[in-house]
Amino acid sequence: MTRIPEFRAAKWNEPVVMEMGRPGARGQLFPTPEDEVNEAVGTDLIPGGMARKDRPELPEITEFEAQRHYLHLSQMTLGMMGISLFGTCTMKYNSKTAEYATLRPELAEVHPYQHPDTLQGVLEIIHDFDSILRSLSGMDQFIFQAGGGADAAYTMTAVARAYWQDRGMLGQRTEMVTSVQAHPCNPATAAAAGFKVVNLPLEENGYPSLDALKAAVSEKTALIMINNPDDMGIYNPEIKEWVKVAKEAGALCFYDHANFNGVMGKLSARELGFDACMFMLHKTFGAPKAGGGPAVGAYGCTDALAPYLPCPVVVKEGDRYILDEDRPKSAGKVREFWGNVPQVVKAYAWSRAMGADGIELASDISVVANNYMDKKLGEIPGLEISNPSLDIHRMEMTRWSLGPLTEETGVSTVDFANRMADYGIDPYWMSHEPWIVAEPFTPEAGELWSKEDIDTWIGVIAQIAEEARTDPDMVKTAPHNQAIAQVRGDAFEDPARWAMTWRAYQRKIRGASKAEDVA
Amino acid sequence: MTDTTRAHPWMANSAPGAMQAMLDEIGATSAAEVFEQIPQDHFRTTPLDLPPTLSSEIELKRDLVSKLKKNADCETNLSFLGAGVWQHHVPAIVDEIVGRTEFATNVWGSYQSDHGRNQAWFEFSSQLGALLNLDVVQLPVYSWGCAIGHAVRMAQRITGRSKVIVSQLSDPERLSVLKTYCQPSAMESHIDVVMVAADPTTGRMDLNDLHAKLGSDVAAVYFENPAYLGTIETEAAEIAHLTRAAGAETIVGVDPVSLGVMTAPGDYGADIVTGPVQPLGVHMQCGGGVGGFIASRDEEKYVLEYNGFLVSIVETLEPGQVGFGLACPHQNSYGSREHGKDWTGNSTYLWAIAGAVYMSLLGPEGFRELGNLIVSRARYAAKCLSEVPGIKIVWPDTTFKEFVVNFDGTGKTVAEINDLLRAQGIFGGKDISGEDNALGQSALYCVTEVHTAADIRTLAETLKEVLS
């Protein structure tokens, strides 16, 4: 019998920090300028009427009150400290050994404009990690400037622009071809970079047809951007032909390796024919995503594309590491400096601690565990796997549908996710847009969670499916054991009621209720 | 070599028998069998060539620390580097909170399960809004340069125009990012980046040149206050006035730690405001601490053009209770793919939490003290350095925490001088002599609250010694 967690979230009724404190309370004091400073420079140093006259309306609280308030907020955050089979994000253990190493002043208190002689340690780590990613992908050069997977996709579009501009063909190569279910960052960054997006529809087998690709690529195609396997857990077995077809049309081929976890050590982007790829270090390589960054999209490419990379590139010269900024064909920077360096160090640490054998084992475990999860989910009435006619083992994650259960009970995938939080189980990921199956959810078992964790997770899913039949209203009004009740979504699209700051809230909501009081 | 008989501490199912139990359950004979979707000729032929595994925490820590110790840092040395990443004091409580595993986690979270995190995000925007005197603050994007890029593209969508005016004395790092965001000129939706001259006597924008360039094709004017080279833009309201008269948007970049002593940009006519989040309690981390905010007035014209995550306070099903969630989620690229407003992705949201804690610790008096301390010591540093033979301060008495030091009179280059200083444990200011500024052999020095008067005298005395 699976143990179902009994859970009650911390519920502090914590005020918004703007409501806290008392006039004159202090949380942080600063030294007063030394006498020699005051004597030399005097006062009223802000020129030309730019001196601030109003007092910013910030809270006035003590150091302890700040600590306690934010600890309370952390206690009201599940943050995968339950069980999270959060697909497309690959839940991993984030090593505290690596975290603490990056907090040392030798990294935390280091400036990127220091002379390279004073940065040899961090440059060595970046260089060594570049070598690790080269081995995993077959690419010739990696950079880490991109602040996430989407930014790495954007880097690809910038590199593609520079590549085609260098050939005088940017006016002709104006299109990017992708799949309708590729991660939104691929079409979105390509569009923002100025390319026209061509989306290929999916066929019955779960991926776009080779014929559709052949029809879409032409002398106008600048690049294709594609992930494989996809978020359904389906691997496109024609990917080598895809790359061949795209290259025959002259296009560059970018492998969005967001879903790398199931194929680590098994596939090489270069051997499949790709010109470039990206890895998400905050996902596959064990650095924390931190709820949405700082993250790293490691972008790697062949020697043919390397001249167009954003600067700087870390290079080893003899036994010294240097920052190469002298790259005249560079696409320009996508972000200041070299990237989220601590995350690179954490990813390096993950790779070294896993080793080649560990990385290959992790991909084995993640795919086997996912298939175990699929089998157990398939035993729960009301759930349906995506592309149900395919009788194949899925990869490291699988798209599922609650469609039948919703039809039977009215309980939607959003309701279901809300109820999961009541059991101390992190709500699942549903799906990126567009939702191509009804009431989707996308679990990914990964190598972190034990078989017992997966069993518990499945047990909770089964329990909620049962609750949907016996007490649908209770599920629809969930959560009931969480820090707060269900958030009402109606204000999010209402200019009269949305409030992105306390100032705006005071003006709109409090102002309105005051007016009512008067009336 | 890895000892494959030992389970890996980060993989529960590497324990003996766990994989087999799952394989038995799914009726597969081997792990290889579950990879049936991948054609045999897709599997890599080159074996992985990775460095030896560091199996134990002890070995891993030794490797990381021994490498990192080859760096020289700004705690052991005296650093005057700034220009996009600045050495500020990080309160210990900030480190504690951002290190909490619930926040520094792998998961994205949800409204229902991660309420505390979402509240912290809202508190970042709320407190920054109080410093800026603006009602809308988006969660931070990748960097200040990226924030400027997104803001300029907002202005393009709002005005339907495709030209942005920036100062000749812009930071090359941020300018390079902005130009990437504005696309090469061969692209149809390209934005022209036009430079406006700087007044050589003050470093501020030349308003005559601005006036001449502010045509009906201009989407936005972007200026910083304080600017890249540290100067305070005293004509901010006039620039905003001219810009508005031309039907363009005023985009300003501000340093949030200046806002205890400098006028809020919301009070001098800024339409969209950007700035760095790193000064608000984030360590420099070799540039890995950067993030950028975007803010504006609460008008649909702006709100409906944001590219990322806007956290709104809302009611819950329980009367009188509030929660938090994303406003206008369908307009971003998660919601609308290539039809969304620009694009977004994972960003730097942990630094929003750092900023929330930082701002709550400082409060109004902390920001005032901090701003006053920084500007006082920075001016003192400029004064001390101006007394060193051969050194000239380019724009004295007009700066906040950074200022330009000219070394033309010393007969040495900035690179040579910085080498001499480094040998004495001092990291001199950023060498800007190769930049397009007509300032000769100059360096951009940064002085903050971490630099004492004694540190500043050490710098001046060391410069005297190495230059004599």
Side-chain angles (χ1 to χ4, degrees):
Chain A
M1 183 65 192
T2 306
R3 183 186 59 86
I4 302 294
E6 275 186 50
F7 178 78
R8 223 158 248 292
K11 185 171 180 172
W12 288 104
N13 291 330
E14 192 71 12
V16 174
V17 74
M18 309 303 279
E19 301 173 279
M20 292 170 57
R22 64 207 66 80
R26 297 295 301 271
Q28 181 86 188
L29 301 177
F30 290 92
T32 44
E34 294 85 345
D35 289 344
E36 66 190 88
V37 172
N38 282 331
E39 283 161 23
V41 303
T43 52
D44 298 328
L45 299 176
I46 303 297
M50 285 307 297
R52 186 164 190 144
K53 294 176 189 70
D54 66 316
R55 201 161 175 271
E57 291 190 27
L58 292 170
E60 296 175 78
I61 58 178
T62 66
E63 191 167 350
F64 171 70
E65 285 168 336
Q67 180 193 41
R68 182 177 59 186
H69 173 67
Y70 286 101
L71 280 172
H72 284 178
L73 295 189
S74 78
Q75 289 164 359
M76 294 192 288
T77 302
L78 192 51
M80 83 173 253
M81 292 301 106
I83 300 169
S84 180
L85 307 193
F86 199 97
T88 78
C89 285
T90 311
M91 299 298 100
K92 301 222 174 191
Y93 170 67
N94 306 132
S95 161
K96 284 292 172 188
T97 316
E99 179 86 30
Y100 290 152
T102 64
L103 290 174
R104 298 174 68 98
E106 292 93 343
L107 190 65
E109 298 301 337
V110 164
H111 195 289
Y113 288 152
Q114 283 177 218
H115 192 281
D117 282 355
T118 67
L119 298 169
Q120 289 298 299
V122 62
L123 290 171
E124 181 181 355
I125 290 175
I126 291 173
H127 173 270
D128 289 357
F129 186 59
D130 177 10
S131 301
I132 289 170
L133 294 188
R134 291 183 194 194
S135 179
L136 283 164
S137 65
M139 295 299 160
D140 296 321
Q141 179 70 58
F142 275 82
I143 57 161
F144 306 98
Q145 193 170 70
D151 209 12
Y154 189 59
T155 303
M156 177 69 245
T157 65
V159 167
R161 291 190 311 210
Y163 173 87
W164 289 117
Q165 189 162 36
D166 194 32
R167 280 153 184 75
M169 295 170 74
L170 190 53
Q172 174 198 322
R173 296 276 177 175
T174 54
E175 295 180 356
M176 189 285 284
V177 177
T178 188
S179 150
V180 70
Q181 62 75 55
H183 188 279
C185 74
N186 291 301
T189 55
F195 292 110
K196 180 173 171 258
V197 175
V198 180
N199 286 301
L200 302 178
L202 304 183
E203 301 297 325
E204 278 297 301
N205 53 15
Y207 46 90
S209 74
L210 198 53
D211 284 343
L213 178 74
K214 283 177 183 165
V217 296
S218 70
E219 73 289 345
K220 289 186 192 168
T221 313
L223 73 164
I224 70 167
M225 303 172 85
I226 205 76
N227 57 338
N228 195 31
D230 65 12
D231 296 356
M232 318 290 141
I234 295 172
Y235 183 85
N236 178 352
E238 295 172 343
I239 198 69
K240 278 176 112 171
E241 287 74 25
W242 273 52
V243 172
K244 194 159 162 280
V245 164
K247 285 194 157 178
E248 279 168 5
L252 298 173
C253 295
F254 172 67
Y255 195 164
D256 171 356
H257 247 321
N259 298 346
F260 187 55
N261 215 51
V263 297
M264 297 185 293
K266 298 189 168 58
L267 298 183
S268 155
R270 186 68 172 276
E271 288 184 29
L272 292 172
F274 285 94
D275 301 297
C277 70
M278 77 92 182
F279 295 116
M280 293 161 81
L281 305 189
H282 48 288
K283 168 179 169 179
T284 318
F285 290 81
K289 177 192 177 98
V296 180
Y299 176 85
C301 63
T302 63
D303 278 334
L305 288 183
Y308 308 102
L309 286 171
C311 293
V313 176
V314 176
V315 177
K316 190 173 187 183
E317 277 189 353
D319 57 358
R320 267 186 93 251
Y321 302 93
I322 62 157
L323 289 158
D324 182 7
E325 291 269 8
D326 184 21
R327 302 172 75 90
K329 291 187 174 182
S330 169
K333 294 173 191 294
V334 296
R335 187 182 189 224
E336 295 95 303
F337 311 112
W338 335 342
N340 289 326
V341 177
Q343 310 305 85
V344 178
V345 173
K346 291 170 200 171
Y348 164 82
W350 179 86
S351 308
R352 293 301 310 273
M354 295 294 283
D357 293 343
I359 287 173
E360 292 185 43
L361 179 61
S363 87
D364 281 352
I365 292 176
S366 66
V367 177
V368 170
N370 198 60
N371 278 280
Y372 173 75
M373 174 201 78
D374 278 346
K375 170 142 195 304
K376 295 289 179 183
L377 281 177
E379 292 166 4
I380 302 173
L383 276 57
E384 185 176 65
I385 196 166
S386 61
N387 304 86
S389 60
L390 294 182
D391 182 23
I392 45 165
H393 290 110
R394 299 293 167 102
M395 295 296 294
E396 87 290 2
M397 77 177 110
T398 308
R399 174 73 39 80
W400 281 82
S401 169
L402 279 176
L405 185 77
T406 307
E407 272 188 35
E408 182 190 338
T409 66
V411 167
S412 71
T413 189
V414 175
D415 302 330
F416 208 97
N418 288 344
R419 180 62 179 154
M420 289 171 79
D422 277 340
Y423 291 99
I425 299 292
D426 299 76
Y428 50 50
W429 175 242
M430 292 172 221
S431 168
H432 288 113
E433 298 286 343
W435 283 12
I436 52 185
V437 306
E439 304 300 324
F441 68 103
T442 313
E444 175 176 348
E447 78 273 18
L448 169 66
W449 308 106
S450 67
K451 180 171 170 293
E452 298 78 31
D453 286 335
I454 296 169
D455 287 339
T456 301
W457 191 88
I458 298 282
V460 168
I461 297 286
Q463 171 114 342
I464 299 172
E466 189 55 30
E467 289 171 351
R469 296 186 174 91
T470 55
D471 194 353
D473 283 344
M474 186 272 292
V475 179
K476 286 184 197 176
T477 52
H480 305 286
N481 302 333
Q482 267 293 340
I484 55 166
Q486 192 178 117
V487 167
R488 291 172 57 121
D490 42 347
F492 291 137
E493 310 277 357
D494 181 358
R497 285 191 295 158
W498 69 41
M500 274 63 103
T501 56
W502 186 250
R503 285 165 55 94
Y505 182 63
Q506 294 293 96
R507 178 168 53 78
K508 292 182 184 181
I509 310 303
R510 297 280 168 103
S513 61
K514 270 182 201 157
E516 274 170 28
D517 291 345
V518 173
Chain B
M1 283 301 293
T2 314
D3 180 353
T4 50
T5 62
R6 293 200 294 182
H8 196 286
W10 300 348
M11 295 190 279
N13 289 327
S14 65
M19 271 257 272
Q20 193 57 50
M22 294 189 295
L23 285 169
D24 291 347
E25 189 83 33
I26 62 177
T29 52
S30 69
E33 195 180 319
V34 297
F35 287 89
E36 65 184 336
Q37 289 192 71
I38 304 179
Q40 278 310 307
D41 68 343
H42 286 210
F43 284 94
R44 58 183 298 149
T45 54
T46 16
L48 284 182
D49 177 22
L50 303 190
T53 308
L54 300 169
S55 301
S56 66
E57 179 166 346
I58 295 169
E59 294 159 282
L60 178 63
K61 180 180 175 185
R62 173 66 72 95
D63 180 83
L64 295 173
V65 173
S66 64
K67 286 194 168 78
L68 289 174
K69 278 189 170 169
K70 295 175 192 170
N71 295 338
D73 63 66
C74 302
E75 269 187 12
T76 311
N77 296 272
L78 188 52
S79 172
F80 295 93
L81 289 164
V85 180
W86 304 270
Q87 189 179 9
H88 286 289
H89 174 67
V90 177
I93 299 299
V94 177
D95 280 335
E96 179 189 14
I97 299 299
V98 299
R100 290 286 294 190
T101 301
E102 301 93 328
F103 292 146
T105 173
N106 234 32
V107 82
W108 149 242
S110 76
Y111 298 169
Q112 312 307 342
S113 57
D114 299 86
H115 163 69
R117 193 270 318 266
N118 298 337
Q119 179 167 336
W121 284 352
F122 177 77
E123 293 180 351
F124 165 80
S125 295
S126 290
Q127 293 179 89
L128 191 50
L131 284 170
L132 299 168
N133 281 346
L134 288 170
D135 278 0
V136 176
V137 181
Q138 184 179 249
L139 286 186
V141 298
Y142 299 120
S143 69
W144 188 4
C146 295
I148 300 163
H150 285 300
V152 167
R153 292 168 58 79
M154 283 170 80
Q156 182 192 35
R157 296 193 296 275
I158 290 168
T159 63
R161 304 172 178 182
S162 295
K163 187 184 279 188
V164 58
I165 293 178
V166 303
S167 168
Q168 181 71 43
L169 298 179
S170 290
D171 170 31
E173 195 96 29
R174 290 195 284 284
L175 188 61
S176 178
V177 177
L178 174 62
K179 287 183 171 172
T180 299
Y181 274 63
C182 287
Q183 305 179 353
S185 52
M187 315 294 282
E188 254 176 49
S189 41
H190 159 77
I191 300 171
D192 266 328
V193 181
V194 176
M195 301 291 190
V196 66
D199 180 337
T201 61
T202 63
R204 294 169 190 148
M205 237 181 207
D206 179 332
L207 294 197
N208 290 326
D209 194 39
L210 174 65
H211 205 265
K213 286 172 175 157
L214 245 179
S216 59
D217 55 347
V218 173
V221 173
Y222 174 72
F223 68 92
E224 293 175 356
N225 202 10
Y228 164 52
L229 297 180
T231 52
I232 293 172
E233 187 52 78
T234 50
E235 303 307 310
E238 179 62 12
I239 296 171
H241 175 74
L242 291 171
T243 304
R244 180 155 305 166
E249 298 294 319
T250 301
I251 306 176
V252 180
V254 298
D255 179 349
V257 298
S258 73
L259 293 174
V261 293
M262 283 181 61
T263 305
D267 293 348
Y268 54 71
D271 295 311
I272 307 174
V273 178
T274 67
V277 301
Q278 183 264 326
L280 298 172
V282 183
H283 296 278
M284 296 188 288
Q285 302 174 76
C286 203
V290 301
F293 65 80
I294 309 175
S296 70
R297 293 186 301 280
D298 188 359
E299 295 170 13
E300 282 177 74
K301 166 184 167 184
Y302 299 108
V303 173
L304 298 181
E305 294 300 334
Y306 275 90
N307 73 302
F309 287 174
L310 296 163
V311 179
S312 175
I313 186 170
V314 290
E315 295 171 332
T316 73
L317 295 184
E318 190 176 310
Q321 189 182 59
V322 294
F324 307 89
L326 299 183
C328 310
H330 301 297
Q331 73 193 38
N332 70 43
S333 58
Y334 284 113
S336 299
R337 299 175 73 86
E338 68 269 29
H339 306 296
K341 303 295 185 182
D342 223 336
W343 60 281
T344 189
N346 280 315
S347 185
T348 56
Y349 303 151
L350 188 64
W351 304 147
I353 297 178
V357 180
Y358 182 87
M359 288 184 275
S360 79
L361 281 166
L362 263 64
E365 285 307 305
F367 272 98
R368 194 187 53 75
E369 282 181 3
L370 174 64
N372 184 53
L373 179 61
I374 290 173
V375 71
S376 298
R377 284 184 175 162
R379 293 288 174 81
Y380 179 63
K383 196 160 190 301
C384 290
L385 295 192
S386 72
E387 289 160 6
V388 177
I391 289 182
K392 193 165 108 341
I393 304 303
V394 176
W395 298 299
D397 306 327
T398 62
T399 52
F400 179 60
K401 72 184 177 191
E402 291 173 286
F403 52 95
V404 176
V405 183
N406 179 270
F407 294 95
D408 283 346
T410 69
K412 288 190 167 66
T413 66
V414 173
E416 289 165 347
I417 293 165
N418 280 351
D419 284 346
L420 293 166
L421 287 174
R422 196 165 65 256
Q424 306 294 319
I426 296 175
F427 300 158
K430 182 196 177 196
D431 187 350
I432 58 168
S433 57
E435 298 175 9
D436 182 21
N437 54 28
L439 292 171
Q441 284 297 319
S442 290
L444 181 64
Y445 272 72
C446 174
V447 170
T448 74
E449 73 280 10
V450 303
H451 299 96
T452 64
D455 290 338
I456 291 163
R457 276 187 274 109
T458 300
L459 169 67
E461 282 155 20
T462 309
L463 272 169
K464 262 181 218 162
E465 279 167 31
V466 301
L467 291 172
S468 62

